[in-house]
């Protein structure tokens, strides 16, 4: 094999190895961030979960799992505007993602938007008939609407 071809081949192999190594490191950092953010969310350290997700998302802004954790952390911390923005971003990429639709419906319920919550849970049920979380959410909405009607 001519020297020039061999040098090109060696250079190409080195670049491949470096790329794979960099991806492996990025994947490990992502996995560590997911684990830490999930643990923070479990322990109700919402500000910590938000910080971890945002730091990791600075290098991978479209990461579904990190954005979903971020939306949950925002919602549980009461920052419903940021939670809704993150849910909207996720739904723009996958409008039939029932996990995100459920979170969006819950956000609407927590904000006393009973009709919006009903619409969100209904959408989940059209995509996944019999979904127990959506059915429970729908029941909460109906009870809330009925209670409102009785008072008003």
């Amino acid at each position: 094999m001519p020297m020039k071809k061999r040098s090109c081949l060696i250079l190409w192999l080195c670049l491949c190895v470096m790329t794979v190594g960099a991806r492996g490191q990025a994947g490990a950092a992502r996995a560590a961030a997911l684990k830490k953010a999930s643990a923070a969310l479990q322990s109700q350290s919402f500000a910590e979960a938000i910080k971890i997700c945002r730091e990791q998302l600075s290098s991978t802004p479209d990461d579904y799992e990190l954005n979903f954790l971020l939306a949950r952390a925002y919602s549980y911390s009461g920052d419903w505007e940021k939670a809704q923005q993150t849910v909207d971003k996720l739904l723009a990429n996958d409008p039939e993602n029932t996990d995100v639709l459920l979170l969006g419906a819950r956000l609407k319920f927590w904000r006393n938007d009973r009709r919006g919550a009903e619409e969100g849970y209904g959408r989940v049920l059209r995509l996944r008939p019999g979904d127990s979380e959506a059915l429970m959410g729908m029941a909460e909405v109906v009870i809330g609407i009925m209670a409102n009607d009785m008072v008003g």
Side-chain angles (χ1 to χ4, degrees):
M1 180 180 285
M3 186 62 136
K4 192 170 187 177
K5 264 189 171 181
R6 188 177 306 160
S7 296
C8 286
L9 181 61
I10 290 171
L11 179 61
W12 180 79
L13 286 171
C14 287
L15 287 172
C16 287
V17 168
M18 288 171 43
T19 302
V20 169
R23 284 185 187 158
Q25 290 173 349
R30 177 189 173 276
L34 281 169
K35 186 174 181 177
K36 286 180 187 174
S38 293
L41 204 58
Q42 289 277 344
S43 66
Q44 298 184 358
S45 301
F46 306 125
E48 182 66 15
I50 291 167
K51 178 181 173 230
I52 294 164
C53 289
R54 288 176 55 108
E55 284 174 1
Q56 186 63 31
L57 284 166
S58 68
S59 61
T60 56
D62 294 325
D63 186 292
Y64 166 77
E65 289 177 286
L66 286 164
N67 274 295
F68 188 65
L69 278 173
L70 180 63
R72 289 175 52 209
Y74 279 142
S75 65
Y76 299 152
S77 72
D79 195 341
W80 295 331
E81 285 299 317
K82 287 184 181 174
Q84 188 62 58
Q85 290 170 0
T86 308
V87 164
D88 291 343
K89 175 183 174 180
L90 288 166
L91 288 174
N93 291 326
D94 186 1
E96 294 188 349
N97 184 315
T98 54
D99 291 329
V100 179
L101 287 167
L102 278 169
L103 180 57
R106 285 188 195 106
L107 279 168
K108 292 194 186 302
F109 183 79
W110 294 335
R111 297 172 82 174
N112 292 316
D113 177 0
R114 302 293 192 245
R115 298 294 177 198
E118 179 181 15
E119 181 182 306
Y121 289 126
R123 195 166 165 201
V124 172
L125 289 168
R126 283 188 294 281
L127 292 166
R128 265 192 345 215
D131 181 279
S132 60
E133 288 184 61
L135 287 170
M136 289 189 321
M138 191 65 86
E140 289 176 340
V141 168
V142 170
I143 290 167
I145 290 171
M146 288 173 55
N148 237 8
D149 288 347
M150 292 174 78
V151 171

